[in-house]
């Protein structure tokens, strides 16, 4: 088992793989070493490919090898721009803010098993993608907090129809068809209600931890802190409270039975995840493949024009 206290992503260079620099050579190698890369990812939880000279124009063949079944970001709650065939910008929050640790779509009924990040433009300063071992994150929490979350988490969303705070339901589900949205939500085990203003209210209960299907490791796997106003900071939480009542917030969270999650619990989850994380700094052309169950990710503040693309697969 990986030592969670000293864990680092595995870094691979052209020399390590015995190939020439270049996206074509990397793609060819990946095509003949699928099982090897699969095993390395499970064993190391995250792999950084550095020094291969991949560009946005040469990314596609590499991505096809690492993510053979790319998924759409349906039911995603963070702001992104779709820039290709199920390829998106990383979360578009203001660059001076930290994005706390999370596993992609852990609040959904189904989530991607892999994420691939590609650095098209490196930031001038900062902008690392921190990654955290989910076993270590779980162990870092107080026993009182782990016990309180044992029953799961109830997520709540208020999605507007085109005007309002947060994302619209059309953006969230990448469709303007109510029937398609309802079919998706029914399949995902969600409860929903169409509001008088054509907005949509959604609720779903999900687990707070899961076990990896291969390793059996139990990991922290929820986004309760990101959905909790307290983890946004006192000023932001206060401003939201002045604008909207709790039941109308774009997103909120409670324990599975509806009991409020104490502010201190949400802040502890956020802070200890960030404290346990390892920063991956970006150079143009770098790629990082992560196991989305074993590893959470976030973003450090930065200056300059950072552009990191992300795609995901099952």
């Amino acid at each position: 088992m990986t030592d969670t206290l000293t864990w680092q992503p595995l870094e691979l260079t052209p020399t390590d793989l015995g190939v020439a620099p270049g996206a074509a050579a990397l793609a060819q190698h990946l095509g003949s070493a699928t099982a090897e890369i699969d095993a390395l990812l499970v064993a190391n939880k995250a792999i950084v490919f550095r020094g291969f000279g991949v560009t946005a124009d040469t990314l596609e063949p590499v991505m096809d090898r690492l993510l053979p079944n790319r998924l759409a970001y349906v039911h995603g709650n963070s702001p992104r721009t779709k820039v290709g065939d199920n390829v998106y910008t990383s979360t578009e929050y203001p660059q001076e803010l930290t994005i706390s640790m999370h596993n992609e779509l852990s609040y959904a009924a189904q989530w991607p098993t892999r994420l691939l990040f590609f650095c098209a433009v490196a930031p001038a300063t900062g902008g690392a993608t921190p990654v955290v071992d989910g076993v270590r994150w779980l162990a870092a929490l107080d026993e009182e907090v782990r016990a309180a979350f044992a029953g799961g988490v109830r997520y709540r969303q208020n999605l507007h129809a085109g005007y309002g705070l947060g994302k619209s339901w059309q953006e969230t589900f990448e469709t303007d068809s109510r029937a398609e949205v309802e079919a998706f939500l029914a399949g995902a085990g969600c409860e929903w209600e169409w509001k008088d203003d054509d907005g949509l209210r959604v609720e779903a209960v999900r687990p707070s931890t899961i076990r990896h299907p291969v390793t059996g490791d139990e990991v922290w796997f929820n986004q309760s802190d990101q959905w909790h106003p307290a983890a946004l900071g006192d000023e932001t939480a206060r401003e939201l409270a002045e604008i909207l009542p709790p039941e109308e917030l774009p997103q909120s969270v409670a324990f599975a039975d509806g009991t409020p999650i104490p502010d201190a619990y949400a802040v502890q989850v956020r802070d200890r995840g960030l404290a346990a994380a390892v920063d991956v700094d970006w150079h143009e052309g770098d790629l990082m493949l992560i196991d989305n169950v074993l590893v959470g990710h976030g973003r450090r503040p930065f200056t300059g024009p950072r552009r990191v693309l992300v795609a995901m697969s099952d």
Side-chain angles (χ1 to χ4, degrees):
M1 180 180 292
T2 304
D3 182 349
T4 61
L5 295 179
T6 60
W7 173 78
Q8 294 275 343
L10 174 67
E11 183 174 313
L12 295 177
T13 66
T15 301
D16 296 323
L17 297 184
V19 302
L26 176 58
Q28 183 177 4
H29 176 82
L30 294 172
S32 62
T34 301
E36 177 187 348
I37 295 298
D38 290 349
L40 284 174
L41 183 59
V42 171
N44 294 278
K45 308 185 181 186
I47 303 173
V48 177
F49 296 89
R50 182 158 286 160
F52 289 91
V54 179
T55 66
D57 292 337
T58 61
L59 174 62
E60 193 78 13
V62 176
M63 191 175 295
D64 287 343
R65 302 299 190 277
L66 293 173
L67 302 179
N69 184 32
R70 293 206 296 274
L71 302 174
Y73 187 59
V74 176
H75 204 181
N77 70 322
S78 64
R80 303 175 185 271
T81 301
K82 192 171 186 176
V83 296
D85 181 14
N86 290 341
V87 180
Y88 301 82
T89 58
S90 56
T91 301
E92 297 170 351
Y93 281 156
Q95 61 189 53
E96 67 274 13
L97 300 180
T98 295
I99 298 176
S100 59
M101 309 311 296
H102 60 285
N103 303 78
E104 204 63 52
L105 290 167
S106 58
Y107 51 83
Q110 293 182 307
W111 47 82
T113 59
R114 289 183 176 187
L115 303 181
L116 180 67
F117 298 87
F118 167 69
C119 181
V121 178
T125 63
T129 294
V131 287
V132 64
D133 183 320
V135 175
R136 184 178 180 188
W137 192 2
L138 176 61
L141 302 176
D142 292 349
E143 176 58 35
E144 174 187 351
V145 174
R146 295 197 299 269
F149 276 91
V153 174
R154 178 176 292 273
Y155 297 99
R156 297 165 174 153
Q157 287 177 289
N158 285 292
L159 303 170
H160 59 78
Y163 300 96
L165 291 175
K167 294 177 69 175
S168 69
W169 61 263
Q170 294 93 334
E171 291 176 296
T172 298
F173 297 101
E174 295 191 0
T175 180
D176 57 6
S177 167
R178 282 193 176 201
E180 289 182 14
V181 172
E182 291 179 356
F184 178 91
L185 293 175
C190 298
E191 303 170 11
W192 71 90
E193 173 191 1
W194 293 103
K195 300 192 291 185
D196 292 341
D197 61 0
D198 199 32
L200 176 65
R201 179 175 286 119
V202 180
E203 290 198 17
V205 174
R206 308 295 186 207
S208 59
T209 68
I210 62 171
R211 290 191 178 274
H212 190 271
V214 177
T215 68
D217 290 338
E218 184 180 15
V219 297
W220 186 253
F221 195 79
N222 68 83
Q223 287 178 236
S224 57
D225 61 312
Q226 289 197 329
W227 288 52
H228 197 294
L232 299 176
D234 293 343
E235 183 176 347
T236 302
R238 182 169 56 254
E239 289 174 353
L240 283 174
E242 291 174 354
I243 299 170
L244 295 169
E247 65 274 11
E248 294 298 331
L249 290 173
Q251 59 188 39
S252 59
V253 66
F255 290 125
D257 63 0
T259 303
I261 296 173
D263 292 1
Y265 287 7
V267 171
Q268 181 181 133
V269 168
R270 179 198 65 192
D271 290 351
R272 294 192 184 175
L274 283 165
V278 175
D279 283 354
V280 175
D281 294 312
W282 290 111
H283 308 280
E284 288 187 14
D286 285 353
L287 300 109
M288 179 167 64
L289 182 68
I290 70 172
D291 184 307
N292 185 48
V293 174
L294 293 174
V295 173
H297 65 281
R299 191 203 69 192
R300 302 294 186 185
F302 65 95
T303 64
R306 179 185 189 268
R307 182 173 175 83
V308 174
L309 305 181
V310 62
M312 56 199 79
S313 72
D314 56 13

